[in-house]
Amino acid sequence: MLTIKTIGQVLKEKRTSLGLDLSEAEQLTQVQKLYIVALETDDYKALPGDFYIKAYLKQYAEKLGLNADRIIQAYDEGKGITVEDKEDILENYHFVKPSERVEPEEEVPKTWRHYVPIISLSAAALLIVVGVFAAVIMNKPETPDLITNDYSYSKSEVSTSKSSTSSTKPSESSTQASSSTPETTIAISGSSSAMIATISNISDPIKVDFSVAAGRTIWVGMTNSNVPATGQTLSDGANSLSALVTTGSENSVITLGSVEGLTITVNGKALDLSSLTTTGPNKITLQINRTTSNSAAQ
């Protein structure tokens, strides 16, 4: 049966038929997850512009094994795509006539006589256990006072040694606690429209703050964080954004519409954005190296 579907519906159905989740699709197609969500929901306003929309549509469709030219043509014409839906499989349904149905046998209610053997066996086992316990108690030998006194003396010596050992532990703990934690450092590499910020000696929670100067409007997207998949636009009405990196994540990709008038800090430390010189979309990859117990001990 032929039906008309949107471009987003065709992309999403193909991805799910391949058994890919959003993260796996991102690795396969090299299209960021937030853009994949925008394409599959036909939310083209969430993408930077018409050039990037067509580029991402073509790249995503080809990686999924779809006809990319047909997808681009449907986008240019603003139309849906005619596809063939699989018919519901009803052939395997077998109607059983009432006369052919096998009704389960009704269970006969059990009376108290049914449980008599079980009760009898349980009572006999209980009597055996009680008899064994009584025999052990009656035949238990008396313990000489000398042995009891010696045991008590030895036990007190062990307790004294344990107390002396435990008294040394606080001093060891205080020595370890006195060691200082290394300072967080940020190393910048890359240039033009792509930058890598390697952050070392940092612990969760990791907070990334964005601030936009007056009169500027900048779109911000961020993976592995609490920022919505469609991103957020900062302007005079709402010129700041605080994002938290997902606990345990080793990286987070920040996508920016522009960097003019933008300030970014990570746990209070400013990122140097001077290497980003393009006016178009920019990408910052945060490589996160958390503080380890070994480095803290040193």
Side-chain angles (χ1 to χ4, degrees):
M1 180 177 65
L2 297 178
T3 183
I4 298 177
K5 296 185 178 180
T6 66
I7 295 174
Q9 289 174 330
V10 172
L11 295 174
K12 185 174 182 179
E13 288 181 1
K14 182 63 176 179
R15 174 177 63 81
T16 54
S17 69
L18 294 175
L20 301 174
D21 59 22
L22 290 174
S23 297
E24 292 171 336
E26 183 180 41
Q27 294 294 326
L28 172 66
T29 64
Q30 297 301 310
V31 177
Q32 296 181 28
K33 190 187 301 182
L34 62 95
Y35 292 150
I36 291 178
V37 173
L39 293 176
E40 292 185 349
T41 56
D42 301 295
D43 183 14
Y44 301 119
K45 293 182 180 179
L47 288 106
D50 189 67
F51 172 79
Y52 290 98
I53 294 173
K54 291 183 179 180
Y56 288 144
L57 282 173
K58 179 177 177 64
Q59 185 174 349
Y60 192 37
E62 288 178 347
K63 293 294 184 179
L64 294 180
L66 294 171
N67 189 328
D69 293 335
R70 187 180 177 191
I71 297 290
I72 298 299
Q73 180 181 358
Y75 170 75
D76 289 334
E77 296 177 354
K79 297 180 180 179
I81 300 176
T82 303
V83 297
E84 183 177 356
D85 266 352
K86 296 181 180 180
E87 297 182 358
D88 293 334
I89 302 176
L90 299 176
E91 299 176 356
N92 295 330
Y93 179 79
H94 177 65
F95 178 76
V96 181
K97 297 179 181 179
S99 59
E100 297 176 354
R101 296 176 186 172
V102 178
E103 299 294 339
E105 296 182 0
E106 295 184 359
E107 185 177 355
V108 179
K110 297 178 181 179
T111 63
W112 64 271
R113 293 184 178 84
H114 176 78
Y115 300 99
V116 169
I118 298 175
I119 296 173
S120 300
L121 291 174
S122 300
L126 181 60
L127 289 174
I128 293 173
V129 172
V130 171
V132 172
F133 182 75
V136 171
I137 295 298
M138 294 177 65
N139 294 306
K140 180 179 179 181
E142 294 183 359
T143 303
D145 294 338
L146 179 60
I147 297 177
T148 302
N149 294 336
D150 290 344
Y151 174 79
S152 301
Y153 177 75
S154 300
K155 185 175 182 181
S156 64
E157 287 183 344
V158 173
S159 301
T160 304
S161 64
K162 287 184 177 179
S163 300
S164 61
T165 302
S166 61
S167 64
T168 62
K169 291 184 179 179
S171 61
E172 295 176 358
S173 300
S174 61
T175 302
Q176 294 178 356
S178 63
S179 61
S180 59
T181 302
E183 182 182 358
T184 298
T185 60
I186 301 177
I188 303 298
S189 61
S191 60
S192 185
S193 63
M195 185 180 86
I196 299 176
T198 303
I199 308 172
S200 302
N201 301 321
I202 193 168
S203 301
D204 291 315
I206 300 174
K207 182 182 179 184
V208 182
D209 291 309
F210 301 85
S211 179
V212 175
R216 303 297 304 174
T217 299
I218 297 178
W219 179 86
V220 176
M222 185 173 177
T223 64
N224 292 333
S225 71
N226 59 345
V227 176
T230 56
Q232 185 169 332
T233 300
L234 304 181
S235 60
D236 289 340
N239 63 350
S240 63
L241 168 65
S242 292
L244 289 176
V245 177
T246 303
T247 301
S249 295
E250 296 181 354
N251 60 71
S252 177
V253 178
I254 300 173
T255 305
L256 304 168
S258 174
V259 295
E260 295 184 12
L262 178 65
T263 301
I264 303 176
T265 62
V266 180
N267 280 8
K269 283 188 170 290
L271 285 183
D272 183 4
L273 306 180
S274 59
S275 62
L276 298 175
T277 57
T278 61
T279 58
N282 295 273
K283 182 172 74 172
I284 301 174
T285 301
L286 303 181
Q287 295 288 354
I288 301 170
N289 298 324
R290 288 175 174 75
T291 302
T292 62
S293 58
N294 291 334
S295 62
Q298 296 173 355

